[in-house]
Amino acid sequence: MSQFPGESGLIINEPLLWEKERKGRCGYSLPKREVERQELAAEFQGPAPDLPELSEVDVVRHYTRLSQWNVGVDSVTYPLGSCTMKYNPRINEAMSGLAGFAGAHPLLPASLSQGALSLMFNLERHLAEITGMDGASLQPSAGAQGELTGILLINAYLKSRGENRTKILVPDTAHGTNPASAALCGLRAVAVKSGPEGVLLPESVEELMDSDTAGIMVTNPNTLGLFEENIKQIAEIVHGRGGQVYCDGANLNALMGVVKMGEIGVDVIHLNLHKTFSAPHGGGGPGCGPVCVRSHLEPFLPVPRIGPDQGQGHQLIWDRPQSVGKIHAFYGNFGVMIKAYCYILSMGPQYLKLASQLAVLNANYVKEKLKGTFELAYDRPCMHECVFSDARQAPQGVSTLDMAKKMMDYGFHPPTIYFPLVVHGALMIEPTETESKEDLDSFIAACQEIAKQAETDPELLHNAPVRPKLTRLDETLAARKPRLAG
Amino acid sequence: MGEKIVYPYVPNSVPEVKAQMMKEVGVTDIMELYEEIPEKLKFKGKLNLPEPILDEYSIRRHVEGLLNKNKNAKEYLNFLGAGCAMHFVPAVCDEINGRGEFLTAYVGEAYADHGKWQALFEYASLIGELLDMDVTSCPVYDGFQAAATSLRMAGRINGRKEVLLPASINPDMLLVIDNYTKGVTERFLDLVKVDMDPETGLMDLDDLKSKLSDKTSSVFIENPSYLGFFETQAEEIGKLAKEAGAEFVVYCDPISLGVVAPPAQYGATIACGDFHDLGMHMQCGGGQGGFIATHDDMRYVAEFKDLMFGLTETVEEGEYGFGEVLFDRTSYGSREKGKEFTGTTTGLWAITAGVYLAVMGPKGMAEVGQTIMQRSQYAAKKIGQLKGVEIKFAGTPFFKEFVVDFSMTGKTVAEINKGLLEFKIFGGKDLSSECPENTQMALYCVTEATTKEDIDKLVYALACVTQ
């Protein structure tokens, strides 16, 4: 196992924050209060919160140690399917952290925010071009909020035509947030089964699409890593019955410069700037989930809109009577937008396409190399990710979970597991274009060793992980007897 | 561009490597990988985007050029707030949230992300201490969404449909709440405003009483309010709400809680707010993050929509780790049957807020709260002494923001703010479109990052501009 990056190294123990406390210590320093003292009436005062008292070095060491028990794209190969864990270029971080942007207030008049507005205006234009759409809004803070925005847009559009539709079609391969964001708006999600080849069939949509259905939410490429090849026919059916086509663009990393969603029947698409456009995930945000729309949905986009610079600078436009209103407190997560903007500028049209091509090449490479090892859910060329199952290991009593945990012993972040739901015991691998062949080969070799152990010594896998910071957790205890605070 | 480029972010763009991998997968042209896509669906042109800027130095030059078109709080004195205030950010916060292990990770895996789960567990514990409540989840996008989700939680808890909100509510927050509650065929929650007393800004309790009924799902207040003052009748409002069987939802400012009583102490059943002021930069509004907290009561805990991490044991005696709690609440666990939806939110900011609270400790939070209050009171007093300028709601205590009424100066807020720019000052938020006709009011914000000298400079500039 020595050729793999996993090694039990210098792991430092660290207690919970408050166990390090010593009364009287202090980690802060604030400017002097040089104005006269004003007391708040006693009835409104509260006791000092019971926070730990720590020195600055305690805090830095604590969080540094915690960070060392954590892995990111910076640390390891992170083939987490559907999450596009690609490398996050450091120049983009540096630009987003520039003091001038960090200190920008969102409510400044447009004339004083021209740099920020110009960046957002151009980013909207670039995203619209990449998706083949006519307009965009950067306000949604992540993919799921983009979905919510998209549904609000569709609903507002249908209402403007005097229609009130109550259902929406959601394929069984969709991300879980799709039906959830539909339900948040009171739409009933109607599941559409994908066909035997793993893609949607027009006839299934035809059967379900009626005059009470607002449209369909399609993830393309879908969560099996397959291109929805019937998308155009499906869009024609949906449009023919007065509905709208929503595309979950979380998997756009396969298709930049190869397919324009606006040209193949999609009316609204959300993107994840923290996936396709290289902004980091931040361990769960902040992200940015812009929506791009065709022209008939533009009047409904959230306010304020950013107007073009026609010599007087960009303007903030609030007077949009059909707008769905606001989704975020201000413009959305501006820091993330800076990173995505820098990424697009640094790649240009040709290297964005190259990124997509090599993301697909990497996924197909993993698929080819591992299809003798794991059962391939659908044996056909894949897009940016490939989905296997534990069907060959299950007879030995080895599950996807066992294998995923073992991968950590070898020094790899596990792939997405048990998703998509349509594949029993799924292992969903998305290498992205930023993994080198050497790193992929190492990951593939680890998978092959694990599969061998499943045959020869399944117990090894049941006990995994043995090398990470922790041994196996009692997850039932965590769920049944919640201890939510220290 | 004829020259083949090995792209720095795409390691397999080395021609030999790419060729070898293509051979392994059995293609001779990279576009063969896209054979499954029908030809007629493919885009054959070249994206109409700017040509790439291929070196890091030129990207920097380009972005710094854009930045030069911006004015910001580093060059100007800033008195804008209204939901995004300029606070002091300890260097430690930037240091920790810039660490790649946190920055470049995903939401989580118990073994790979043990450190992050501990950090989020600690965030939840520290926010709980600050709010004097027991339960909080992973963060939400921003305070406005936290308000919206809190109200939907209340609706799920008691099955009622009407929300009573103060007339002074932040109008932008109301727009966000509306989007989360309006539903497609029928509203999930009806939003009804309760009048405010024009003199004090406080909620009109008679109007509240007349509107409370067995339909009332929750009574919502902001404390401090959007217009800066404290809702001094909060305890009474909470009592009335609970007598009517409604939830009492309080939106508060976490940086005030080192001095001001937390909502739980005056009866809030759900507390929420935005924690951008605990260690985030303003970032043109990109530093926001929302929190929701309740008491330890399963009726409430079960209605949270986001992930929660609980302490648990491992197979090794004495060792502890973290596991997901009540996963089936979430849309990850139950798709459309989950509570609203979860996903990527503001995890990195939550870790940062934990760092902030850890360095500040109880004394730091008390001191920062006192500093803010003293400076804002000083600023209001000095501004109120200017001729023709009045502090609105002057009799009601306030925290970091206050409304300045310029109506008697004969100048508009727009004119005044333009004049202040000559002094390199950003004046307060222009409320003229939100306030009664023929009034000219602005919302000023003063924090611990505003010195006495800054305030004196503002007062001098205002005197010049208004007189």
Side-chain angles (χ1 to χ4, degrees):
Chain A
M1 216 158 124
S2 59
Q3 75 270 34
F4 301 108
E7 191 60 67
S8 31
L10 190 64
I11 297 175
I12 310 288
N13 275 321
E14 178 68 8
L16 290 162
L17 204 44
W18 37 91
E19 289 170 18
K20 301 180 70 163
E21 169 177 58
R22 171 95 192 228
K23 291 284 174 212
R25 289 225 167 96
C26 135
Y28 76 98
S29 54
L30 283 169
K32 268 197 194 138
R33 275 168 282 165
E34 69 282 67
V35 300
E36 61 216 71
R37 211 175 165 82
Q38 302 263 351
E39 286 299 336
L40 180 67
E43 58 183 305
F44 305 123
Q45 286 182 22
D50 186 16
L51 298 169
E53 295 180 46
L54 303 157
S55 62
E56 185 173 318
V57 61
D58 290 331
V59 176
V60 169
R61 214 165 261 172
H62 177 78
Y63 282 98
T64 301
R65 288 175 183 175
L66 294 196
S67 77
Q68 288 166 344
W69 303 344
N70 220 54
V71 295
V73 179
D74 280 3
S75 345
V76 296
T77 297
Y78 210 123
L80 195 64
S82 254
C83 298
T84 314
M85 299 302 285
K86 61 165 79 174
Y87 171 67
N88 314 118
R90 280 313 187 272
I91 177 67
N92 305 350
E93 294 302 311
M95 294 301 92
S96 158
L98 287 174
F101 282 134
H105 195 283
L107 296 178
L108 279 181
S111 60
L112 304 175
S113 287
Q114 284 300 304
L117 295 181
S118 159
L119 188 151
M120 289 190 269
F121 180 84
N122 284 315
L123 179 57
E124 283 185 358
R125 294 277 293 270
H126 296 337
L127 296 175
E129 168 63 18
I130 292 165
T131 52
M133 308 299 266
D134 301 307
S137 167
L138 303 170
Q139 222 179 91
S141 304
Q145 207 183 26
E147 294 167 27
L148 169 65
T149 310
I151 290 170
L152 291 171
L153 293 171
I154 290 173
N155 182 41
Y157 169 72
L158 291 173
K159 282 224 163 93
S160 77
R161 299 198 312 185
E163 294 190 54
N164 204 359
R165 299 184 177 215
T166 59
K167 297 185 290 186
I168 194 150
L169 306 182
V170 182
D172 54 7
T173 51
H175 289 121
T177 47
N178 286 191
S181 47
L184 182 103
C185 298
L187 282 175
R188 189 156 69 81
V190 178
V192 190
K193 270 198 156 34
S194 34
E197 296 293 306
V199 295
L200 282 174
L201 298 175
E203 48 268 36
S204 316
V205 175
E206 181 127 45
E207 201 176 298
L208 295 167
M209 181 67 208
D210 59 22
S211 61
D212 198 25
T213 302
I216 189 166
M217 299 179 88
V218 186
T219 303
N220 199 10
N222 68 22
T223 56
L224 292 165
L226 306 175
F227 185 82
E228 291 289 355
E229 59 197 30
N230 303 315
I231 180 84
K232 194 151 190 192
Q233 276 165 280
I234 288 168
E236 278 161 13
I237 295 165
V238 172
H239 289 147
R241 296 181 190 171
Q244 295 283 291
V245 178
Y246 182 92
C247 180
D248 178 330
N251 295 340
L252 188 77
N253 203 42
L255 295 177
M256 289 183 289
V258 178
V259 172
K260 279 189 170 187
M261 293 295 169
E263 292 178 354
I264 62 171
V266 170
D267 299 295
V268 49
I269 179 173
H270 89 253
L271 306 174
N272 300 63
L273 300 190
H274 49 290
K275 293 183 181 176
T276 314
F277 296 94
S278 89
H281 280 72
C288 185
V291 286
C292 302
V293 297
R294 287 184 49 223
S295 57
H296 63 283
L297 293 175
E298 267 192 295
F300 306 96
L301 287 171
V303 283
R305 301 288 301 137
I306 300 165
D309 181 357
Q310 291 165 327
Q312 308 282 313
H314 295 281
Q315 297 301 313
L316 287 169
I317 304 164
W318 285 88
D319 186 18
R320 303 270 288 191
Q322 290 186 296
S323 165
V324 297
K326 277 186 80 68
I327 287 295
H328 183 266
F330 299 103
Y331 307 109
N333 286 328
F334 181 64
V336 182
M337 298 173 205
I338 299 171
K339 299 172 195 183
Y341 174 79
C342 291
Y343 180 70
I344 292 172
L345 282 195
S346 62
M347 301 295 276
Q350 56 273 54
Y351 299 111
L352 284 178
K353 188 171 178 180
L354 174 86
S356 280
Q357 289 171 331
L358 290 203
V360 174
L361 179 63
N362 278 1
N364 277 283
Y365 182 76
V366 172
K367 176 179 76 76
E368 284 304 311
K369 291 282 188 176
L370 284 181
K371 75 179 187 189
T373 306
F374 299 134
E375 182 76 13
L376 196 54
Y378 293 89
D379 191 5
R380 50 185 287 190
C382 65
M383 292 281 116
H384 61 299
E385 63 195 1
C386 52
V387 180
F388 294 98
S389 78
D390 59 4
R392 292 188 202 170
Q393 287 74 33
Q396 283 81 50
V398 170
S399 69
T400 286
L401 184 69
D402 295 325
M403 295 192 284
K405 289 198 192 307
K406 191 69 196 166
M407 286 180 198
M408 284 183 263
D409 281 340
Y410 284 88
F412 298 99
H413 193 285
T416 296
I417 55 173
Y418 299 107
F419 188 84
L421 305 176
V422 292
V423 176
H424 188 265
L427 273 157
M428 184 198 216
I429 299 171
E430 180 180 9
T432 85
E433 75 280 9
T434 64
E435 286 309 306
S436 69
K437 178 177 177 295
E438 293 73 15
D439 285 340
L440 292 179
D441 285 337
S442 175
F443 172 74
I444 289 161
C447 290
Q448 288 164 340
E449 272 201 27
I450 290 167
K452 211 173 284 165
Q453 287 161 11
E455 282 172 23
T456 56
D457 193 357
E459 213 42 39
L460 261 181
L461 302 183
H462 295 151
N463 295 330
V466 294
R467 288 184 163 192
K469 172 78 177 76
L470 292 181
T471 46
R472 274 217 179 186
L473 287 165
D474 187 343
E475 296 186 53
T476 321
L477 180 72
R480 294 249 172 91
K481 289 190 182 160
R483 271 191 66 193
L484 294 165
Chain B
M1 272 205 275
E3 201 184 336
K4 285 228 186 307
I5 288 194
V6 177
Y7 203 86
Y9 312 149
V10 188
N12 298 336
S13 60
V14 175
E16 299 73 36
V17 177
K18 185 176 160 189
Q20 195 191 344
M21 292 178 75
M22 283 168 56
K23 200 173 156 203
E24 302 259 11
V25 298
V27 297
T28 49
D29 182 325
I30 194 89
M31 287 307 287
E32 286 171 35
L33 292 169
Y34 291 100
E35 260 177 4
E36 299 271 309
I37 303 178
E39 273 310 299
K40 60 179 195 290
L41 301 188
K42 282 183 194 157
F43 169 65
K44 301 284 168 43
K46 183 176 174 190
L47 290 172
N48 182 20
L49 296 173
E51 281 301 309
I53 301 176
L54 286 169
D55 67 287
E56 187 174 317
Y57 177 70
S58 301
I59 290 275
R60 183 179 283 274
R61 286 282 291 264
H62 172 88
V63 176
E64 285 174 347
L66 278 180
L67 190 56
N68 287 337
K69 296 195 218 161
N70 248 30
K71 304 289 177 241
N72 62 69
K74 295 281 170 217
E75 311 155 30
Y76 283 62
L77 294 181
N78 175 49
F79 293 92
L80 278 166
C84 177
M86 185 178 76
H87 288 277
F88 155 70
V89 176
V92 180
C93 292
D94 290 336
E95 173 63 27
I96 301 298
N97 71 25
R99 288 191 69 89
E101 299 90 336
F102 288 137
L103 179 73
T104 72
Y106 198 68
V107 180
E109 211 296 331
Y111 302 91
D113 296 317
H114 177 56
K116 189 181 68 201
W117 286 22
Q118 178 164 337
L120 289 172
F121 175 82
E122 291 173 344
Y123 151 81
S125 303
L126 296 172
I127 286 279
E129 289 298 345
L130 197 60
L131 292 162
D132 197 19
M133 279 186 155
D134 314 298
V135 179
T136 185
S137 67
C138 281
V140 297
Y141 301 127
D142 58 13
F144 291 6
Q145 193 224 330
T149 291
S150 297
L151 298 176
R152 285 195 64 143
M153 283 171 67
R156 292 196 290 269
I157 290 164
N158 59 26
R160 297 180 179 186
K161 275 194 71 166
E162 195 170 88
V163 179
L164 302 181
L165 316 123
S168 62
I169 190 172
N170 183 332
D172 286 349
M173 188 197 295
L174 193 57
L175 286 174
V176 173
I177 292 174
D178 188 50
N179 268 331
Y180 274 86
T181 54
K182 66 186 175 193
V184 170
T185 47
E186 58 168 328
R187 294 196 64 93
F188 286 96
L189 296 170
D190 295 316
L191 309 175
V192 179
K193 280 193 191 172
V194 181
D195 291 344
M196 67 189 252
D197 180 315
E199 287 308 308
T200 61
L202 301 177
M203 189 177 265
D204 177 339
L205 294 189
D206 289 331
D207 193 46
L208 173 66
K209 284 175 198 162
S210 75
K211 286 173 176 159
L212 275 168
S213 71
D214 58 5
K215 293 195 190 72
T216 312
S217 170
S218 53
V219 177
F220 175 84
I221 63 163
E222 293 176 89
N223 201 17
S225 72
Y226 163 56
L227 300 176
F229 54 80
F230 287 115
E231 178 45 87
T232 55
Q233 320 164 110
E235 191 161 6
E236 178 67 14
I237 294 169
K239 229 194 260 162
L240 291 168
K242 279 184 273 183
E243 277 166 18
E247 297 299 320
F248 182 34
V249 182
V250 179
Y251 188 91
C252 61
D253 184 349
I255 208 168
S256 72
L257 299 178
V259 277
V260 179
Q265 288 187 16
Y266 49 85
T269 55
I270 303 176
C272 58
D274 197 297
F275 62 83
H276 77 277
D277 43 17
L278 305 182
M280 267 52 73
H281 296 280
M282 293 192 290
Q283 285 200 340
C284 207
Q288 314 294 126
F291 64 86
I292 301 169
T294 69
H295 295 294
D296 185 12
D297 176 339
M298 275 313 281
R299 288 187 311 138
Y300 292 81
V301 180
E303 296 305 335
F304 277 87
K305 70 176 194 63
D306 288 288
L307 295 178
M308 290 179 179
F309 298 118
L311 204 62
T312 188
E313 293 160 9
T314 73
V315 293
E316 189 85 29
E317 202 178 323
E319 190 180 59
Y320 62 83
F322 301 90
E324 282 162 348
V325 173
L326 302 173
F327 186 66
D328 289 345
R329 291 172 295 111
T330 68
S331 60
Y332 286 146
S334 303
R335 295 169 77 85
E336 71 269 30
K337 294 193 179 65
K339 313 291 179 186
E340 304 177 34
F341 57 72
T342 189
T344 295
T345 58
T346 47
L348 192 65
W349 294 162
I351 292 175
T352 311
V355 174
Y356 181 87
L357 292 171
V359 290
M360 294 297 278
K363 285 197 294 266
M365 289 310 289
E367 192 173 324
V368 73
Q370 277 156 0
T371 305
I372 292 169
M373 282 195 68
Q374 287 177 24
R375 289 193 175 164
S376 63
Q377 318 291 315
Y378 172 78
K381 188 172 127 194
K382 290 286 175 182
I383 294 169
Q385 287 166 353
L386 293 171
K387 203 171 142 216
V389 180
E390 269 184 31
I391 303 301
K392 193 82 182 148
F393 318 120
T396 314
F398 57 92
F399 182 57
K400 68 186 179 194
E401 294 185 87
F402 51 92
V403 176
V404 183
D405 187 347
F406 292 106
S407 307
M408 303 297 287
T409 64
K411 292 219 160 64
T412 64
V413 172
E415 288 165 345
I416 292 165
N417 280 353
K418 201 168 166 203
L420 289 176
L421 289 176
E422 304 285 323
F423 294 86
K424 295 215 132 196
I425 292 172
F426 299 144
K429 184 189 179 189
D430 190 345
L431 298 176
S432 51
S433 64
E434 300 168 21
C435 287
E437 261 182 77
N438 302 320
T439 60
Q440 287 296 324
M441 300 198 216
L443 182 62
Y444 272 75
C445 178
V446 169
T447 71
E448 78 286 6
T450 326
T451 65
K452 176 172 179 291
E453 198 186 334
D454 298 342
I455 296 165
D456 292 342
K457 202 171 156 193
L458 168 72
V459 174
Y460 171 76
L462 277 174
C464 297
V465 171
T466 56
Q467 257 101 74

